[in-house]
Each structure stands twice: as C-alpha cells, then as structure tokens.
Amino acid sequence: MDEKNLDTVACPRCGSLKHTPRSPELKADVTRRINRAVGQLNGIRAMVEEDRYCGDVLTQLAAVESAVKAISREVMRDHLETCVVERIQAGDTEVTDEVMDLFRKFM
C-alpha cells in the first residue's frame, strides 16, 4: 500500500477513515528499530543458508522476536497516549474494545 492510500483506509469496525500522524521522533525511532530487525532477519537467513548451529539460529530468532515486541510496545504506547486519549475525550468509549483486542494480540 502506498503512503497516499493511508488516508483512505476505512476502519473495518466502524467504516470511518483513520489516519495517524506520528511525530518525526517516533517515526525515526520505529524506522530505525524496524531496519535493525530486518538486518537481524537477513543475518538469520544467512545463518540458515550456511547451515549454522541450530542453537545459534534460535538465539538470534529470540533476539529479533524481542526487538519486534519492543517496537510493538512503542507503537502501542503512542497509540494509547494519542489516538485512544483523543477518541475518549471526544466521547468515543467504544475505543476500549479496540484496545482490549490489541492487548489480546500481544499477550
């Protein structure tokens, strides 16, 4: 999906359009972390192709999994502090259902 289409993505639950402007700092941090995880995955792919020891591959997989979870926590924190707060302040308490669904995905 290209960036300009992000403005026209409808919420599957309510049909409203959603767009999340993020701070330049958050974008830079998340992008840096994603790039690092992608680099780790590329390294793991090379390890598998080189028939490296399974224990070493598993250790690296655990590291990249931890890195991805850290990215998710950062985006979740930002979501709670911005999108969720704004929706609750606007009187939309149904956002709590969305938050609970997101929590279930990460627990």
Side-chain angles (χ1 to χ4, degrees):
M1 176 181 308
D2 61 60
E3 196 168 315
K4 65 184 173 186
N5 284 342
L6 293 178
D7 289 333
T8 59
V9 175
C11 171
R13 189 180 297 244
C14 65
S16 67
L17 300 180
K18 292 185 175 184
H19 179 72
T20 304
R22 293 179 177 87
S23 72
E25 296 82 14
L26 179 68
K27 284 182 188 180
D29 182 51
V30 169
T31 299
R32 178 182 52 78
R33 290 171 183 244
I34 290 171
N35 289 339
R36 184 179 302 145
V38 168
Q40 288 176 294
L41 286 169
N42 287 331
I44 294 167
R45 179 183 327 143
M47 291 174 74
V48 170
E49 290 170 354
E50 296 166 3
D51 294 323
R52 299 275 295 275
Y53 181 63
C54 296
D56 294 341
V57 171
L58 289 166
T59 297
Q60 292 306 310
L61 285 168
V64 77
E65 183 178 0
S66 176
V68 170
K69 285 181 181 180
I71 297 166
S72 297
R73 284 190 303 271
E74 190 68 21
V75 174
M76 177 68 82
R77 181 192 55 76
D78 184 69
H79 180 58
L80 293 171
E81 291 176 351
T82 58
C83 303
V84 174
V85 168
E86 290 168 7
R87 288 177 60 187
I88 288 173
Q89 288 174 341
D92 178 8
T93 57
E94 289 183 15
V95 71
T96 57
D97 292 333
E98 174 190 297
V99 170
M100 292 307 297
D101 289 342
L102 290 169
F103 282 153
R104 276 190 279 287
K105 288 178 185 179
F106 292 100
M107 295 178 113

